[in-house]
Amino acid sequence: MKLFSCTLAFIATLSSTIILAQSDILDARTNYAIGETVTVTGIITSGADLGSVRYIQDESAGIALYPGNDWTDWSAEPNPGDEVTVTGEISEYNGLLEIGPNLTQVDVLSSGNPLPDALVVTPNQLNESLEGQLVVIEGTTFDAGGQIIEANTTYTFISSGEDGIIYVRSSNSLVGTVLNGCEMNLMGIVSQFSFDGYGGYQLLPRGTSDMLSTSGVCLTSEVEQINISSSSFGLTWTTDVVGDSEVEWGLTPDLGTTTSDLFLSTDHLISLSGLSPGTLYYARVKSTNTDGETVISPIRVYATISESSGNIHVYFTGSVDTSVAIDEEAMSLGTSTNDTIAAWITSAQHTLDVAVYNTNNVAIENAINTAAANGVQIRYIAEGSNANLGIDDFDSSIPVHYRTDNEGSGMHNKFFIGDADYPETAFVLTGSTNMTTANLNTDKNNVIVFQDQSIARGYTLEFNEMWGSDSMVPDAVNSKFGPDKSVNTPLKYIIGGSPVEVYFSPTDGTTSAIRQTIESMDYGMAFALLSFTRDDLADAIIDGSSFFVSPQGAIEEIGGTGAEFETLTAAGIDVHSHQGIAGQLHHKYAVIDYSEPLSDPTVVTGSHNWSSTAENTNDENTVIVHDERVSNLYYQEFRGLLISMGVINSLEDENGKFVMTVFPNPTTDVINIEVSNEYIGTEFTLSDINGRLIKVLNINSARTNIDVSGLELGVYVLSSKKLNSSLQVVVQ
């Protein structure tokens, strides 16, 4: 009996040994399928700077270890220099091969071991064969040199003429430090984030020691464009040691002209003059210190003010509340939105470039075909994973180019560029809407049109990068989408006297720009979003709120992975669910300080949902408009949206115009009554449900606060003889 038991034990042990055979990491990566169990031994090369993920490497390869949420289920948390034996299942997360989260063994064999030597590579060599390994890229400079490094953000770098990206997690000690704008040796772990498992390779620096300067002079700020006119602008920057100031510039990336100042300083300014209106200029700055060492910024593109009208037009598909209009009533186009966009399409006289996620609306199709019949040269980019049924009806002369890698939502832009080389007729039309009948007729969307040549030319650069050329024929070899794109467009324009910023995802740091805009609020914020899953943007809203600053919002998608709705409501933010209400809330906008002209009223809008997919993977466009008029138009839409959701109760006159709104309703202590100008001075009465008079209210301003904290809980009636109507007010 004992002999039999021992035999069984031996067989069981042997079986276990066969199933959990020791492998080197290369064998684990190449010969084990997803879900199979493997055992490996190697040196841990990363710590908490990369979150809960640890990377392990032996002489053959490297791989990620993922324990799930954290390492609390194990006796020790692996640290850099630990030799560890790990057993677990092979899995894959957005292209990243890893062991876990189903780990069954984690044994620390020894600590304090030297890390593997970092392999010297170039950006283009970051691929699957190096995933999980420690590497170094020499002679690296960053596009955003001088920026403060932010959490959960990607940054583009250049080495030997090749582009690459790093990703910085919130747990990384790099967060809050300055991204040096000097040449450095960049070290880190090769990782991947790709929905389809192809491409998306990035470097993960493990802290400040992975970014070692090799230069005696560094940029300590971004290069900023100032004093923009139609014929000149200035470029400013700072360095860590004194040096001279020099700008190389021209009409192409070849530059060709140099303007310099030999005065030694850490604060630098070079003004460029004699420029042409509505023109894009390429430029880079240089500073040389007293030892002859030089720092050079990446080449960037800058725009002068155009001779176009600079008019900005705004349209909405949903209802608007014009009672809060300042100078101009917002336009709710409803089901005629497609006709208005069609009119803009047919206004193009020479060229029309279109980048739209999805199209199936007949009016839009017909307008594009009409423009083609009128001799307009049309180019069209679409997302390849969509049906895009409208494209089937395009004139055969219209070339169409698709993004086909299926990462995220892919080519998610919504923009039209008309007559970019003609200041009289140039325009850019963008916003949140796809060219589908549902988006245009029933969903809540916004459209914004800029009649400006400079921004049209900037958008054309982005279009050409996706198209692969500046000709009528797309070049599939040179075409770039998503993370493969570069920072190649102006970020700043002056349109109609108002500053306008433009960001294209995923290269331009869109989320950072949105966060900075949120942080600028002094009085209030209103946001309407389809999707909101970014922790950093939610934190910015929460941190910016106070007794005097009360952000308001509406969100369509309130559940799912990473949704911020519950986080915001738990923090006391006045945010409301649009889920289940007819007509999808498809907006992606925010309005900052909409009623305070002295505090820089600003609108953020475009195709970019507030998500990591939009930030890191998709092709998106975002505009940030610093303009009181435009901000008020969007605020009118926001108020109309809340009224349609029942968040704000309102009364309309015989023409359907909102003349009075009451909010919050229900309330606990205070109600706010807002009336249009013609009803200022009107007497209102507040009665209980049985008609007993409670208060007589003289409304002598556009907004009046009424204290109802002393009333018993229940339903009350607010009425006016002049309006010949009433509203119910609930005190709870």
Side-chain angles (χ1 to χ4, degrees), residues 357 382-388 402-411:
Y357 177 64
E383 166 54 32
S385 66
N386 291 328
N388 271 299
Y402 294 92
R403 177 174 174 175
T404 57
D405 61 11
N406 298 327
E407 288 199 35
S409 297
M411 209 297 300

Side-chain angles (χ1 to χ4, degrees), residues 415-455:
F415 66 75
F416 295 77
I417 313 164
D419 293 347
D421 289 331
Y422 300 87
E424 298 83 6
T425 55
F427 70 87
V428 168
L429 183 151
T430 186
S432 64
T433 188
N434 296 303
M435 299 301 116
T436 64
T437 298
N439 256 204
L440 293 168
N441 289 352
T442 60
D443 296 339
K444 279 71 170 184
N445 276 299
N446 66 92
V447 177
I448 187 166
V449 183
F450 302 92
Q451 289 184 276
D452 182 76
Q453 183 184 26
S454 294
I455 195 172

Side-chain angles (χ1 to χ4, degrees), residues 289-363:
N289 66 12
T290 54
D291 294 327
E293 297 172 302
T294 299
V295 62
I296 305 175
S297 75
I299 296 173
R300 289 287 176 265
V301 189
Y302 305 94
T304 56
I305 297 176
S306 77
E307 294 180 327
S308 303
S309 68
N311 294 329
I312 303 175
H313 308 268
V314 179
Y315 312 103
F316 303 101
T317 60
S319 59
V320 297
D321 179 7
T322 57
S323 69
V324 294
I326 297 177
D327 296 315
E328 178 184 338
E329 294 186 352
M331 296 182 65
S332 173
L333 298 179
T335 56
S336 64
T337 304
N338 54 5
D339 297 326
T340 298
I341 296 174
W344 279 105
I345 292 170
T346 55
S347 75
Q349 299 179 21
H350 306 277
T351 60
L352 183 70
D353 291 331
V354 186
V356 173
Y357 177 64
N358 199 8
T359 301
N360 65 22
N361 183 270
V362 174

Side-chain angles (χ1 to χ4, degrees), residues 27 33 50 89 92 130 216 251 278 304 397 405 431 433 448 504 536 555 581 719:
D27 181 45
L50 303 187
E89 290 184 3
E92 188 177 68
L130 295 179
L251 294 172
T304 56
S397 66
D405 61 11
T433 188
I448 187 166
F504 295 102
D536 45 359
I555 302 174
I581 299 175
S719 59

